Amino acid sequence: DVKVTQSSRYLVKRTGEKVFLECVQDMDHENMFWYRQDPGLGLRLIYFSYDVKMKEKGDIPEGYSVSREKKERFSLILESASTNQTSMYLCASSLLQGNNSPLHFGNGTRLTVT
Amino acid sequence: GQQLNQSPQSMFIQEGEDVSMNCTSSSIFNTWLWYKQDPGEGPVLLIALYKAGELTSNGRLTAQFGITRKDSFLNISASIPSDVGIYFCAGASSNTGKLIFGQGTTLQVKP
């Protein structure tokens, strides 16, 4: 079974802090994704990566950056956290490009910015 | 941008009842996916649909890819308490290949 592990289940940070959300997958998947989940809005794609050191903006990249130095690890960075970034963050990976390769999600990190 | 409209937003039903939810889009999709998110966990793929008109079952779950390629539905028969969770549809545009998620349907089942 694919395992996608997000390092924190809950985080509380202050406005202006730099925040790192870490995600590791153990199945040698090429593709990794960061989504945020908000009630009534579903899942929205922040950034994704199809290869090491490669990144692409999703639908809502503003205020975020990412890092993929190793194939198994994909980090989401909030350079200066703001209260509107309070949300559930979900990391996902998939084996191949294209929608025939299902997404495997982690259990999420619930971030609160005060 | 492209949007999916998923309905209903929430449902509260009695154990044993059947459930139906659907997603519609203004754009044509070439893939429809249905995910379920259990409380405290990430979404898990339930059913994938790749062809217009396709009807696929997974146990008590049945999903269909609409003929117009702009909609999909998910039915759950004889609901049980462990069906509780949030159900998401996701569609991939035939133009962009991009995957878009619906807003989610929160299901609660009363024993």
Side-chain angles (χ1 to χ4, degrees), chain A residues 69-92:
Chain A
E69 295 296 317
K70 293 184 177 181
K71 192 175 186 180
E72 67 269 20
R73 186 180 295 271
F74 193 35
S75 304
L76 181 69
I77 303 155
L78 287 65
E79 294 289 342
S80 176
S82 63
T83 54
N84 64 10
Q85 291 178 310
T86 291
S87 186
M88 170 70 85
Y89 290 87
L90 290 165
C91 175

Side-chain angles (χ1 to χ4, degrees), chain B residues 20-92:
Chain B
S20 186
M21 59 192 80
N22 69 83
C23 275
T24 59
S25 169
S26 57
S27 305
I28 290 175
F29 285 171
N30 60 11
T31 300
W32 283 99
L33 307 171
W34 285 93
Y35 284 83
K36 183 196 176 195
Q37 183 179 30
D38 287 326
E41 298 185 14
V44 173
L45 182 66
L46 297 173
I47 293 178
L49 302 159
Y50 300 110
K51 204 164 131 181
E54 184 179 355
L55 184 73
T56 297
S57 292
N58 178 4
R60 293 177 296 105
L61 278 61
T62 302
Q64 184 157 31
F65 192 140
I67 289 289
T68 65
R69 295 170 65 192
K70 292 184 177 183
D71 62 339
S72 177
F73 72 74
L74 175 71
N75 287 342
I76 306 172
S77 62
S79 58
I80 59 177
S82 63
D83 290 333
V84 161
I86 305 176
Y87 291 80
F88 291 101
C89 64

Side-chain angles (χ1 to χ4, degrees), chain A residues 9 37 40 42 59 99-100 105-106, chain B residues 37 40 42-43 50 92 97-98 103:
Chain A
R9 291 300 295 265
Q37 179 181 2
D59 298 316
N99 296 301
N100 289 349
F105 285 90
Chain B
Q37 183 179 30
Y50 300 110
K98 202 167 87 165
Q103 301 95 328

